[in-house]
């Protein structure tokens, strides 16, 4: 007699997780008056009162288009979307997963930071923390580098060069404060990180030895544009 296989003896097929793709994800970045943005092959050139910034987003799978809606009253619909009044940038991402949509938001944040940099500028404030040996920081005449002395009583001098067009200077009204300014948020934050990392306590308990230079405030050079 030929034995017949039952349904319970058949191997089960593995369960496959299917992720749905979003057909179209769109974001708009408004462009304020006095700012000019040039777009070519996902390379941006942002020009404002404080200078010019260049960004390369060719590695992101997005489409970037300038939008001019000066003639619209309020908000004009386009493809079922609400377009802001005035000049703006439309960023599209087709057939995207969640990580690709995150890249879409990162691109919009990058453009907003460029606009903020060429209009308001970025300013980082750092404070000197010491228990016994006072930290002495002196800036160059052109404000392009600073020198740190007497950190934990050490004799060697630490020199930190600012990146790009970033400048540094000592605060006039606040004691033991270093101010770093620039238009590019990447260069300003990296310059502040170089100053902080140059004064790290080695071979000691950092819970007890808190000496160093720490970022205390992140703000803009100008309050309004």
């Amino acid at each position: 007699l030929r034995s017949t296989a039952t349904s319970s003896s058949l191997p089960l097929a593995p369960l496959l997780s299917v992720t749905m793709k979003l057909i179209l994800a769109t974001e708009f970045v408004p462009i304020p008056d006095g700012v000019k943005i040039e777009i070519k092959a996902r390379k941006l050139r942002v020009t404002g009162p404080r200078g010019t910034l260049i960004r390369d987003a060719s590695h992101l799978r997005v489409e970037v288009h300038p939008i001019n809606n000066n003639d619209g009253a309020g908000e004009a619909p386009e493809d079922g979307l609400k377009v802001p009044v005035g000049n703006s940038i439309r960023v599209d991402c087709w057939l995207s997963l969640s990580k690709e949509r995150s890249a879409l938001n990162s691109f919009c944040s990058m453009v907003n930071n460029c606009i903020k940099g060429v209009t308001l500028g970025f300013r980082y404030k750092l404070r000197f923390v010491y228990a016994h040996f006072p930290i002495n920081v002196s800036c160059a005449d052109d404000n392009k580098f600073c020198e740190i002395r007497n950190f934990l009583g050490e004799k060697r001098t630490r020199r930190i060069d600012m990146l790009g067009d970033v400048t540094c200077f000592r605060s006039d009204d606040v004691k033991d404060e270093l101010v770093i300014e620039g238009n590019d948020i990447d260069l300003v934050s990296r310059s502040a990180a170089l100053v902080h990392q140059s004064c790290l306590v080695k071979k000691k308990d950092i819970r007890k030895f808190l000496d160093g230079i720490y970022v205390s405030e992140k703000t803009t050079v100008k309050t309004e544009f």
Side-chain angles (χ1 to χ4, degrees):
L1 296 177
R2 182 178 298 177
S3 62
T4 58
T6 60
S7 60
S8 60
S9 62
L10 293 178
L12 297 178
L15 297 178
L16 300 178
S17 60
V18 179
T19 304
M20 297 296 293
K21 291 186 176 182
L22 187 63
I23 296 178
L24 176 61
T26 304
E27 293 289 341
F28 291 94
V29 180
I31 303 175
D33 296 335
V35 177
K36 179 182 178 182
I37 298 182
E38 302 174 9
I39 305 171
K40 184 178 181 180
R42 285 177 290 182
K43 295 180 176 63
L44 284 81
R45 184 183 183 92
V46 184
T47 305
R50 293 181 55 86
T52 302
L53 294 176
I54 299 176
R55 288 291 186 272
D56 186 1
S58 58
H59 61 286
L60 297 178
R61 196 172 60 85
V62 296
E63 292 182 0
V64 187
H65 307 283
I67 300 295
N68 188 353
N69 191 28
N70 292 325
D71 299 334
E75 294 181 339
E78 179 180 325
D79 299 338
L81 301 173
K82 291 185 177 181
V83 182
V85 176
N87 297 326
S88 61
I89 292 178
R90 174 173 176 169
V91 188
D92 295 334
C93 186
W94 294 86
L95 299 175
S96 59
L97 297 173
S98 60
K99 289 186 178 181
E100 295 169 343
R101 288 194 294 273
S102 300
L104 175 67
N105 293 328
S106 298
F107 178 84
C108 297
S109 299
M110 179 185 67
V111 177
N112 285 323
N113 286 332
C114 291
I115 295 175
K116 190 175 181 179
V118 298
T119 55
L120 301 178
F122 294 97
R123 172 181 292 170
Y124 277 37
K125 296 181 180 180
L126 298 91
R127 296 297 300 271
F128 313 151
V129 178
Y130 52 85
H132 180 71
F133 297 99
I135 301 175
N136 299 326
V137 178
S138 60
C139 299
D141 295 335
D142 56 354
N143 297 334
K144 296 303 295 182
F145 68 89
C146 64
E147 293 181 346
I148 303 174
R149 297 179 176 86
N150 199 36
F151 175 69
L152 291 180
E154 297 178 2
K155 297 300 181 181
R156 78 180 185 93
T157 300
R158 296 167 168 83
R159 170 172 170 157
I160 298 94
D161 296 321
M162 299 293 107
L163 303 175
D165 297 333
V166 178
T167 59
C168 64
F169 58 91
R170 290 290 301 269
S171 178
D172 297 331
D173 52 351
V174 180
K175 180 185 176 183
D176 296 335
E177 186 178 65
L178 179 68
V179 181
I180 298 178
E181 292 181 352
N183 298 337
D184 194 335
I185 188 174
D186 295 338
L187 299 181
V188 172
S189 59
R190 285 170 56 195
S191 299
L194 290 175
V195 175
H196 168 70
Q197 292 174 357
S198 65
C199 295
L200 297 180
V201 179
K202 305 294 185 180
K203 298 182 180 180
K204 291 182 176 65
D205 189 358
I206 60 175
R207 297 172 296 179
K208 179 66 176 179
F209 294 86
L210 302 176
D211 295 37
I213 301 178
Y214 301 92
V215 176
S216 62
E217 184 180 356
K218 301 176 184 179
T219 180
T220 57
V221 179
K222 299 173 62 178
T223 56
E224 61 182 9
F225 169 65

